[in-house]
Amino acid sequence: MTALLHWLTFLLSIILLPVLTLGTIRKTKARLQNRIGPPICQPIYDLVKLSRKGETISSTMCGVFRLSSLLAFADILVLAWLTPWLCFKPWAPHSNIFMVVYLFAFARMFTLLGSLDSGSAFGAFSASREATLSLLVEPAVLLALVSLGIFFGSSDLRVIFSHQTNQTFTDSAIWIAAGLAIFFSSLVELSRMPVDDPTTHLELTMIHEAMILEASGRNLALIEFAHALKMSIFFGLASQCFLRAFPQFNTFNVYSQGGLNIVGILGLALFVGLLESLIVKLQWRKVPEFIAYILSLSLIASLAAIGAGVIK
Amino acid sequence: MTVTATEICVLTAALLACLIVGSLHLKVNLWLYAMSTLFIALATAAAALEHSETGLFVIAILIALLKSIAIPKFFSWAIDKLHVYRDLGAIIAPPLAMHAAILLFSLSFILTKEIPSPAGPGNGWFGAAGGISLVFTGLLLMLTRRLAISQIFGFLVIENGIYVFALTQTKGMPLMVEMGILLDVLVGVMVSGLLLFKIQKSFEHIDVGQLTQLKEP
């Protein structure tokens, strides 16, 4: 019975959490701009509406375009299954750090292929920008996860995120530095505010939006949902890092841990909404500088992990 | 291994100082310097609690007022007067310099392990490492910048480092010595500020890389 309950909650959170995360960000931004804004569940209605609509496909496209969004969605679903972004998963599979990072890259590759296949000028340049960004941010994500791996002596994310440690100062410092690095690199990976404005209407400044410009109907619904799910996976990992920095977290039972986890994801979404209302989009040439700051956070985490290993 | 509140504050200050190297905006640099110095003031206050010395409290308040409020305010005013808002950078790109500063931060841990600590082995290790790291960061800042005003920032960071080293290794200097040093720093900053205006007036820029070139009268 409890197993069934676990499965149900897991499936529900895979379906609902991405939507709620997106809805929270939009609601926060709307409230800060003195608008009432759409209800938090609005992304669900949007997805339902999109899946009912018909789609228009350019005559230059081959099958890659249709297939790519489907494959990217499947890839992200596998990742939702593999990564320990929620701490109440019914069955925890092995998930190697490198496999997870490159499965994310794999999903992005499909999106890039789809945007190139559409044959529009915007698709090509946004694909090139997205590829550049992923190239720049990859070492930051990898170093942050690897620093946790070094510290806990395993390259398996499941082992890292279920570790019962005697919490010391270095433990918390590494968790917080790695969590910050994962969170900020997720802003780049998901092309959110300091790097790309998700609500922009000018195609020349878009990154992610220009890639999915040609998608419509069910295709667009799939892409949007995969993107939101990717966002909640990243926020889930980051929020767990922050929560595990507190020694008390390990003493809670699994329900309150799960509840705190979900609150953490939504809290990060709230923070992103706040961030997006307060700061402006960076110039494209300034983005590497921003990513350098993220990389230095991961560097701090990995050096601290190595140092802790040396002291032991 | 236990880490005291002083050491946490010192390490945070050292990391904030590392971030100074990563930005060329003078106002951002000043803001980060002020935050770093505020953490040093907090470290002093924590040390005062640990050793229960009231003199250190006075010094903590003086540092917070003078070094993290008055000096940044003065330089902010000077930047507005000089109309110079960005450094040009020299030798290596600022993001790379920041990564180098973080590597030096970890190097300083290895270095301080070799220093025999007066308070016994294993004591004040993190604090001393933070101090040495601040000195390294200041040197790196002076090396990778071109403007005279950035050189002063580098000097101020080095001064912070020396103060932190003294604080964590000797349980605080006498009040009179610290007050004298603070006065010296204040006077030094004022004099260097005056020099900045003088350089700007006679050379029409404050780029120290070009100061070797002779100017037609």
Side-chain angles (χ1 to χ4, degrees):
Chain A
M1 190 59 203
T2 41
L4 193 69
L5 203 68
H6 273 220
W7 279 99
L8 268 179
T9 38
F10 182 59
L11 281 179
L12 259 183
S13 46
I14 277 194
I15 296 167
L16 281 184
L17 261 182
V19 177
L20 288 181
T21 319
L22 207 59
T24 312
I25 294 178
R26 286 185 186 157
K27 188 79 178 172
T28 318
K29 281 177 79 171
R31 293 304 304 179
L32 282 172
Q33 290 161 2
N34 272 339
R35 292 187 287 121
I36 292 173
I40 289 183
C41 298
Q42 184 64 37
I44 301 181
Y45 309 143
D46 285 352
L47 286 178
V48 170
K49 183 190 76 184
L50 278 176
S51 59
R52 283 213 205 109
K53 279 190 170 179
E55 53 186 332
T56 318
I57 288 184
S58 147
S59 56
T60 56
M61 290 177 191
C62 57
V64 176
F65 180 72
R66 299 295 299 276
L67 208 59
S68 67
S69 56
L70 202 64
L71 283 173
F73 177 68
D75 193 344
I76 297 288
L77 267 188
V78 170
L79 273 169
W81 177 245
L82 277 180
T83 44
W85 58 292
L86 291 169
C87 51
F88 51 85
K89 284 175 53 173
W91 178 66
H94 285 282
S95 50
N96 193 286
I97 289 172
F98 296 96
M99 193 170 75
V100 165
V101 169
Y102 288 104
L103 274 181
F104 274 121
F106 205 48
R108 185 181 291 110
M109 188 195 80
F110 287 128
T111 324
L112 291 183
L113 279 181
S115 73
L116 285 176
D117 186 44
S118 68
S120 78
F122 294 129
F125 87 70
S126 64
S128 119
R129 283 185 177 180
E130 177 91 3
T132 314
L133 277 186
S134 68
L135 195 76
L136 288 171
V137 84
E138 189 181 288
V141 182
L142 211 56
L143 257 183
L145 288 176
V146 163
S147 69
L148 292 173
I150 293 169
F151 192 63
F152 296 108
S154 166
S155 67
D156 192 347
L157 277 179
R158 180 187 59 163
V159 177
I160 294 169
F161 280 91
S162 61
H163 214 282
Q164 305 278 343
T165 45
N166 51 332
Q167 294 273 346
T168 55
F169 166 67
T170 30
D171 278 40
S172 306
I174 291 169
W175 275 122
I176 286 180
L180 278 175
I182 291 172
F183 173 64
F184 282 112
S185 45
S186 79
L187 292 186
V188 181
E189 289 251 357
L190 301 161
S191 43
R192 291 218 71 98
M193 193 51 172
V195 175
D196 177 23
D197 188 356
T199 55
T200 180
H201 292 292
L202 176 63
E203 285 89 348
L204 284 174
T205 61
M206 290 175 177
I207 299 173
H208 180 74
E209 271 60 38
M211 281 208 304
I212 59 171
L213 218 55
E214 300 288 315
S216 55
R218 272 177 218 154
N219 228 348
L220 186 60
L222 271 185
I223 293 174
E224 292 276 350
F225 187 74
H227 195 64
L229 185 57
K230 191 178 165 189
M231 175 150 66
S232 45
I233 291 174
F234 267 110
F235 287 179
L237 282 179
S239 72
Q240 279 207 55
C241 283
F242 294 137
L243 287 172
R244 281 174 199 280
F246 296 101
Q248 291 83 9
F249 184 70
N250 282 328
T251 60
F252 294 152
N253 64 3
V254 77
Y255 296 107
S256 36
Q257 274 186 349
L260 274 177
N261 199 347
I262 289 173
V263 170
I265 293 175
L266 294 181
L268 282 182
L270 202 78
F271 181 70
V272 168
L274 205 68
L275 205 69
E276 293 195 355
S277 336
L278 292 179
I279 56 177
V280 289
K281 183 175 169 294
L282 282 176
Q283 217 179 39
W284 175 248
R285 284 181 306 158
K286 295 281 171 59
V287 169
E289 220 169 279
F290 175 67
I291 295 176
Y293 275 98
I294 305 171
L295 187 59
S296 62
L297 274 172
S298 331
L299 258 182
I300 291 167
S302 52
L303 287 173
I306 293 170
V310 169
I311 295 166
K312 272 179 194 167
Chain B
M1 176 181 297
T2 55
V3 183
T4 57
T6 317
E7 287 174 330
I8 293 176
C9 289
V10 163
L11 290 183
T12 316
L15 280 179
L16 281 171
C18 285
L19 294 186
I20 298 178
V21 186
S23 173
L24 288 178
H25 285 278
L26 295 178
K27 293 247 172 155
V28 175
N29 288 351
L30 262 186
W31 196 81
L32 282 170
Y33 169 76
M35 290 308 291
S36 163
T37 316
L38 198 64
F39 270 98
I40 287 170
L42 280 179
T44 315
L49 277 180
E50 270 164 37
H51 309 308
S52 53
E53 282 188 39
T54 40
L56 279 179
F57 263 125
V58 180
I59 295 169
I61 292 165
L62 276 178
I63 287 176
L65 286 180
L66 271 183
K67 281 209 285 191
S68 77
I69 293 174
I71 292 180
K73 276 261 181 251
F74 171 71
F75 275 120
S76 176
W77 173 78
I79 288 168
D80 286 337
K81 274 255 170 188
L82 292 168
H83 294 295
V84 183
Y85 297 96
R86 261 180 87 86
D87 201 295
L88 300 166
I91 310 176
I92 41 176
L96 288 179
M98 177 169 58
H99 295 158
I102 291 168
L103 287 178
L104 284 173
F105 176 71
S106 57
L107 184 72
S108 63
F109 277 86
I110 301 169
L111 278 178
T112 26
K113 213 170 186 186
E114 308 301 319
I115 298 175
S117 167
N123 251 351
W125 178 36
F126 281 173
I132 290 187
S133 156
L134 277 169
V135 174
F136 274 143
T137 310
L139 282 175
L140 200 66
L141 192 59
M142 291 176 96
L143 273 177
T144 55
R145 294 300 156 91
R146 246 190 228 164
L147 296 189
I149 194 161
S150 305
Q151 308 289 326
I152 304 170
F153 294 164
F155 164 76
L156 284 171
V157 172
I158 291 178
E159 195 271 334
N160 268 351
I162 291 168
Y163 167 75
V164 161
F165 191 79
L167 174 79
T168 49
Q169 296 306 296
T170 63
K171 299 185 175 173
M173 299 269 225
L175 183 58
M176 286 313 292
V177 178
E178 287 295 355
M179 299 240 283
I181 293 173
L182 272 178
L183 189 69
D184 276 357
V185 170
L186 193 65
V187 171
V189 163
M190 292 296 163
V191 170
S192 54
L194 285 180
L195 267 177
L196 272 183
F197 287 120
K198 201 80 186 157
I199 296 171
Q200 168 88 335
K201 212 172 173 186
S202 47
F203 287 87
E204 285 160 1
H205 61 74
I206 51 171
D207 188 342
V208 289
Q210 294 175 30
L211 286 189
T212 46
Q213 290 167 10
L214 288 175
K215 201 170 175 245
E216 288 293 316

